[in-house]
Amino acid sequence: IPEISSGIHQILEDSDGALWLTGRWGIARFNKETVQVDLFDYRQGVQNFDDWQMGAQLRARDGTFYFGSHAGLQSFRPDGIESSQESPPVLLTELRLNNRAVKPGVAGSPLAVPIEQLDSLTLAYDQNDFGFDFAALSYFAPQQNRYQFRLDGFQDDWVERTSQQRSVDFTGLPPGRYTLRVRGSNNDGVWSSQEIALPITITPPWWQTLWFQAGLGLLALGLIFGGVRWRVHSVQRRNRELEQQVAQRTAELADTSAYLDNILRSATDYAIITADRELRITYFNPQAEAMYSTPEAEALGQPIAEICAKKPDMAHFEAGLRKVESHGAHEYVMVLEAPHGPRHIASRVSGIYDGEKHLLGYARFSRDVTERVQTEARLLSQQRSIAALEERGQIGRELHDRLGQ
């Protein structure tokens, strides 16, 4: 206990259970339940003794206390000492910002009036390190005055201070609204009923103010709205471009289709078959029906290899068609098995392209060249027979000449 920490010489207990102590500080009354200490010195009539004798104390039958020293005897009745019920007012005596005292009317000072006349206090966000000094207006044993403070909005409990700790400091408080409450007690522990209640406002920086945040919100909404409108406009523009491209490609395909149709209809000597990029038949003219003995209705949509090639040769047949993509148009002759014997089919395969040279499918122009092949074979056979006869005649002449010699 700071008030009596310098040493105790004598102790007596009164009828209420309080302890009365002596020391260099005078006489003290110690309440064991509340741990409150009330000091009495020369200002209350206590002799200025500093050499109290240990063991020289007495509680008389009538309740009188006697404390002795080398210089004399101090006597009193504990029940005759009345506590002061005066409630001392409390005043703020100083404001500090960043550990520096602030005066009213000075440039940069938040005080427009003296601190004791202040009704409220407004601080900027960078003035959130501040403190106060305070005092209780009780001049009877002021060293026994006590204080309590609380900052509503920051603290829930009262914090106690002694007469040697008449100040409070706060550091790094966030922007907001607070109320500083301070109350004091006299030397008999009577607390002031009129406490200080000072409203304190710490303003936020401009980027944390409501109007700035509202502005940011509006700006964000504007950006979102603008972004959505730009996106919608972009999608609409892209859709228009795609529609134009589709219309253009459709027209090109229509022109290509008409061009191919004219060619296909004019080519009456050929079996003509067209297929898409998946090699499924898209056109099958009457000559193709006759060549492969398959009606057009059955051929359309079927894989071209199943109609035009034997099963073991299908993969080779399809590879020959796709060869167009890397080598362009090409010709070949293949043998087709038919009821009246094998037929020789000469074919030319080419690609079908749009206006931008994109491959759309394949076209196969075929013609039966069996008679030409057979004719060529007969001619070749006759040529070989003639050559053989000529060779025999030459041999006969040579023998005749040798016999005549």
Side-chain angles (χ1 to χ4, degrees):
I1 303 175
E3 294 88 340
I4 57 176
S5 59
S6 59
I8 300 173
H9 295 85
Q10 301 159 326
I11 302 177
L12 288 175
E13 185 176 7
D14 64 19
S15 58
D16 294 327
L19 298 180
W20 291 81
L21 319 170
T22 64
R24 298 183 60 183
W25 20 264
I27 298 177
R29 178 174 54 195
F30 176 66
N31 189 314
K32 292 182 292 185
E33 294 182 358
T34 64
V35 198
Q36 179 178 329
V37 176
D38 298 322
L39 292 177
F40 302 91
D41 56 18
Y42 67 94
R43 286 168 291 191
Q44 288 85 31
V46 176
Q47 300 298 320
N48 191 16
F49 298 150
D50 58 2
D51 56 351
W52 302 99
Q53 294 299 305
M54 297 185 66
Q57 71 271 4
L58 174 67
R59 175 181 176 181
R61 293 180 179 179
D62 62 355
T64 302
F65 281 7
Y66 296 93
F67 293 102
S69 70
H70 288 97
L73 187 67
Q74 179 77 50
S75 65
F76 62 90
R77 289 177 61 88
D79 55 4
I81 298 177
E82 297 181 359
S83 300
S84 173
Q85 298 302 313
E86 180 183 357
S87 176
V90 181
L91 295 178
L92 296 177
T93 59
E94 184 178 80
L95 168 66
R96 292 182 305 280
L97 292 179
N98 299 320
N99 293 322
R100 293 185 178 182
V102 176
K103 303 298 180 183
V106 180
S109 172
L111 296 179
V113 297
I115 184 70
E116 61 271 12
Q117 301 178 14
L118 198 63
D119 294 328
S120 62
L121 178 63
T122 299
L123 301 174
Y125 71 94
D126 56 354
Q127 295 177 323
N128 59 345
D129 293 342
F130 60 93
F132 297 92
D133 287 346
F134 40 79
L137 301 183
S138 176
Y139 302 104
F140 186 78
Q143 73 277 9
Q144 299 181 44
N145 292 344
R146 305 188 70 83
Y147 302 90
Q148 289 181 337
F149 72 86
R150 184 179 71 194
L151 185 64
D152 292 349
F154 181 71
Q155 297 169 309
D156 295 327
D157 300 323
W158 290 96
V159 180
E160 190 158 333
R161 288 285 191 264
T162 66
S163 59
Q164 288 78 35
Q165 301 171 315
R166 297 180 295 104
S167 64
V168 58
D169 292 281
F170 302 100
T171 302
L173 286 179
R177 297 180 180 275
Y178 307 92
T179 299
L180 175 65
R181 301 184 183 277
V182 183
R183 62 187 182 184
S185 72
N186 62 11
N187 61 304
D188 287 320
V190 178
W191 289 98
S192 172
S193 60
Q194 297 179 352
E195 64 182 27
I196 294 174
L198 178 67
I200 301 174
T201 300
I202 301 178
T203 59
W206 60 269
W207 60 85
Q208 293 182 2
T209 57
L210 181 61
W211 63 266
F212 181 76
Q213 294 176 354
L216 283 181
L218 292 175
L219 178 61
L221 290 176
L223 291 175
I224 294 173
F225 180 73
V228 171
R229 290 200 61 183
W230 176 84
R231 180 60 180 167
V232 170
H233 178 72
S234 176
V235 170
Q236 291 176 344
R237 183 179 68 251
R238 180 59 179 164
N239 288 339
R240 289 194 296 269
E241 293 175 354
L242 291 175
E243 289 174 357
Q244 293 174 356
Q245 292 178 5
V246 169
Q248 181 179 355
R249 292 289 297 277
T250 301
E252 291 175 353
L253 290 176
D255 293 342
T256 302
S257 178
Y259 175 72
L260 288 175
D261 188 66
N262 291 333
I263 293 177
L264 297 177
R265 293 183 183 280
S266 62
T268 56
D269 296 335
Y270 289 86
I272 302 174
I273 304 174
T274 64
D276 57 21
R277 295 198 62 176
E278 285 72 36
L279 301 181
R280 293 187 177 276
I281 296 174
T282 58
Y283 181 80
F284 202 77
N285 74 344
Q287 289 78 7
E289 291 180 335
M291 180 176 290
Y292 294 104
S293 302
T294 302
E296 179 186 16
E298 296 181 9
L300 292 178
Q302 297 298 318
I304 188 172
E306 293 184 3
I307 302 297
C308 302
K310 293 182 292 185
K311 192 170 185 178
D313 301 328
M314 286 184 182
H316 181 72
F317 182 84
E318 291 179 350
L321 290 176
R322 296 193 184 281
K323 186 178 178 181
V324 170
E325 300 179 21
S326 57
H327 294 80
H330 57 279
E331 299 177 352
Y332 61 93
V333 176
M334 64 180 294
V335 178
L336 177 67
E337 297 294 337
H340 303 292
R343 309 295 295 175
H344 294 270
I345 307 300
S347 300
R348 177 180 176 83
V349 180
S350 61
I352 302 173
Y353 301 90
D354 62 11
E356 296 181 1
K357 304 300 182 182
H358 295 127
L359 181 66
L360 302 178
Y362 307 89
R364 184 170 181 265
F365 300 84
S366 303
R367 187 170 59 175
D368 190 338
V369 293
T370 302
E371 293 182 1
R372 188 182 72 181
V373 170
Q374 291 175 347
T375 300
E376 290 177 350
R378 286 195 296 270
L379 289 174
L380 180 60
S381 177
Q382 291 175 0
Q383 289 176 353
R384 290 176 178 174
S385 298
I386 294 172
L389 290 173
E390 289 179 349
E391 184 177 357
R392 292 174 184 174
Q394 181 64 32
I395 293 174
R397 285 192 294 271
E398 291 180 354
L399 290 175
H400 181 270
D401 291 342
R402 289 180 181 178
L403 292 175
Q405 292 178 355

